Amino acid sequence: MKVGVPTEIKTDEYRVALTPSGVRELVDAGHQVFVQRGAGEGSSISDGDYEAQGARILPDAEAVFGEAEMIVKVKEPQAVEVARLEPRHTLFTYLHLAPDPELTKGLVASGATCIAYETVEDARGRLPLLAPMSEVAGKIATQAGAFMLEKPLGGRGILLGGVPGVAAAKVLVIGGGVVGMNAAFIAIGMEADVYVYDRNIDRLRELDVAFGGRCSTCYASTLDIERRLPEADLVIGAVLIHGAKAPYVITRDQLKLMKPGAVIVDVSIDQGGCFETSRPTTHSDPTFEVEGVTHYCVANMPGAVPITSTYALTNATLPFVLAIASHGVQSAIARDAGLRKGVNVAGGHVTCEPVAQAVGLPFVEIDEALGAGAVA
Ligand SMILES: NC(=O)c1ccc[n+]([C@@H]2O[C@H](COP(=O)([O-])OP(=O)(O)OC[C@H]3O[C@@H](n4cnc5c(N)ncnc54)[C@H](O)[C@@H]3O)[C@@H](O)[C@H]2O)c1
């Protein structure tokens, strides 16, 4: 198969979807790889590094989309990229379609087969292609929150871990999955007073054991969160319902309960945000204020640390890239039920039920959609 790697064009995005190791594995398996000139620069990977492993460097995105059958990316396609997609293409990337009807309609109209990293599942129903970036985003969330609590940056002016004789800051982590666990891990390491909320009691049990009681685990009832908000210095939102738009765990009215200068970090912003007052921001302009509370809502947090994130992401995606390249989409998803769950759009239809519900388009089974072939 011909595999194409365009340069990421989302604001402040420095990751790349394939490393030279990935090129080597694909080429050894008999595939051709086309990389856009400079695609790896943000992650300190040169064109020469790719060429040395057998990739062909093409001058621009148009050439890459023109040559390739499968496009491998990191972030959701931007409008100019959607316009380049055709029914012959397979797109493999993060899509986050539930909060984005416009992008969903664009992908449906393209006729391409679009597989979302974030809905691919493993045998235990976990999200193997979201997990590495969630680990990064969770760690950044606490780091960014601690920074934004500094007075010159508009924060309350409290040190997360306190000092002897002065109490530590209170950190609430809502959603104790991969992001939440990593955020809590760093907050505990910084000696904050940490509370992790989830609605899955088995998950709270796991966290309790993992952290050896060094944070409080709490059931995420509306009332319990509401009661804790007036004490919170930093709240990290990290909930997820697979494929769906994020539920609100703090409403605009509840935000008013928080102290002026407190900070909220909405990691779930890529699924529409879990605080009612959130809107997506960028690394260049990461925060805004509502009701005196600083909101940090960067939708591509791992993009800021590409040297870590590119390798963490591609370690996880490469086996799936190889499977799709070697077997084709239909055979690859027949062999792997978890990869099948990644197909969000195919043959001009939405093939992921939570996405169809969220964007108000009809849901069509994958086999029917791939069989249909034509754009609706
Ligand atoms: N902004 C970014 O750059 C970035 C990067 C990586 C991940 N993310 C996003 O972070 C979010 C979390 O990802 P994850 O990998 O940790 O997911 P996960 O599935 O591992 O964890 C989500 C947790 O939320 C819990 N949950 C669901 N509804 C809840 C509710 N109402 N109250 C409390 N808990 C609830 C679930 O039980 C689960 O434990 C996702 O939306 C993901 O896309 C964002």
Side-chain angles (χ1 to χ4, degrees):
M1 189 181 274
K2 293 179 172 181
V3 180
V5 185
T7 305
E8 292 300 314
I9 55 174
K10 191 174 170 113
T11 311
D12 299 326
E13 182 52 71
Y14 302 103
R15 287 170 288 181
V16 61
L18 201 67
T19 62
S21 309
V23 171
R24 173 70 169 272
E25 304 246 348
L26 282 163
V27 169
D28 282 354
H31 306 294
Q32 289 174 270
V33 182
F34 301 91
V35 178
Q36 184 176 343
R37 179 173 297 145
E41 260 170 31
S43 301
S44 296
I45 302 171
S46 71
D47 292 344
D49 295 336
Y50 285 117
E51 278 176 313
Q53 303 308 321
R56 226 178 94 197
I57 302 297
L58 294 180
D60 51 30
E62 198 181 344
V64 172
F65 279 74
E67 278 289 348
E69 297 154 275
M70 170 159 54
I71 304 290
V72 190
K73 273 181 49 60
V74 178
K75 285 311 283 182
E76 71 279 2
Q78 308 297 294
V80 62
E81 296 173 313
V82 175
R84 292 197 171 107
L85 286 171
E86 299 174 23
R88 66 187 179 84
H89 282 131
T90 296
L91 173 67
F92 193 37
T93 189
Y94 287 116
L95 289 175
H96 300 293
L97 295 181
D100 199 341
E102 198 181 326
L103 175 59
T104 310
K105 284 178 194 154
L107 295 181
V108 164
S110 77
T113 303
C114 305
I115 309 177
Y117 291 162
E118 74 276 7
T119 61
V120 171
E121 291 187 5
D122 67 14
R124 289 173 56 191
R126 296 172 306 189
L127 305 171
L129 304 188
L130 185 63
M133 295 303 92
S134 291
E135 288 164 345
V136 175
K139 290 186 170 174
I140 293 179
T142 305
Q143 192 167 291
F147 189 47
M148 291 304 162
L149 276 170
E150 292 180 16
K151 195 77 177 167
L153 290 154
R156 295 193 65 229
I158 184 168
L159 183 65
L160 226 51
V163 290
V166 184
K170 274 199 168 55
V171 178
L172 271 53
V173 178
I174 308 179
V178 180
V179 168
M181 183 174 184
N182 280 275
F185 184 71
I186 297 300
I188 291 166
M190 291 170 92
E191 302 186 330
D193 186 8
V194 183
Y195 300 76
V196 183
Y197 284 83
D198 206 292
R199 293 204 161 195
N200 178 339
I201 294 171
D202 280 335
R203 181 59 181 166
L204 292 177
R205 284 193 183 101
E206 285 170 6
L207 293 173
D208 202 42
V209 172
F211 290 131
R214 283 183 298 149
C215 71
S216 300
T217 54
C218 314
Y219 185 75
S221 73
T222 305
L223 182 60
D224 202 85
I225 293 174
E226 210 169 270
R227 282 193 174 145
R228 196 86 62 183
L229 281 181
E231 305 162 13
D233 298 291
L234 169 62
V235 179
I236 296 171
V239 304
L240 175 66
I241 296 165
H242 293 195
K245 196 172 174 310
Y248 290 147
V249 293
I250 300 182
T251 62
R252 184 177 287 272
D253 278 346
Q254 290 169 326
L255 189 75
K256 293 179 187 154
L257 300 169
M258 294 187 70
K259 294 182 246 195
V263 174
I264 61 178
V265 176
D266 194 341
V267 188
S268 303
I269 191 68
D270 55 356
Q271 290 293 131
C274 64
F275 308 136
E276 189 179 4
T277 43
S278 295
R279 59 174 165 76
T281 59
T282 62
H283 286 291
S284 314
D285 191 8
T287 59
F288 59 92
E289 190 206 297
V290 181
E291 304 286 352
V293 175
T294 303
H295 291 50
Y296 176 102
C297 307
V298 176
N300 59 336
M301 293 167 71
V305 288
I307 291 173
T308 306
S309 301
T310 286
Y311 291 93
L313 175 64
T314 56
N315 286 343
T317 53
L318 184 60
F320 294 95
V321 174
L322 274 165
I324 297 167
S326 299
H327 304 298
V329 173
Q330 258 167 309
S331 174
I333 64 171
R335 288 159 176 258
D336 182 343
L339 178 59
R340 185 185 164 88
K341 294 208 167 153
V343 183
N344 279 210
V345 171
H349 300 283
V350 178
T351 53
C352 175
E353 204 162 2
V355 169
Q357 275 170 7
V359 301
L361 286 175
F363 163 69
V364 173
E365 287 288 350
I366 295 167
D367 299 325
E368 197 186 320
L370 285 170
V375 179

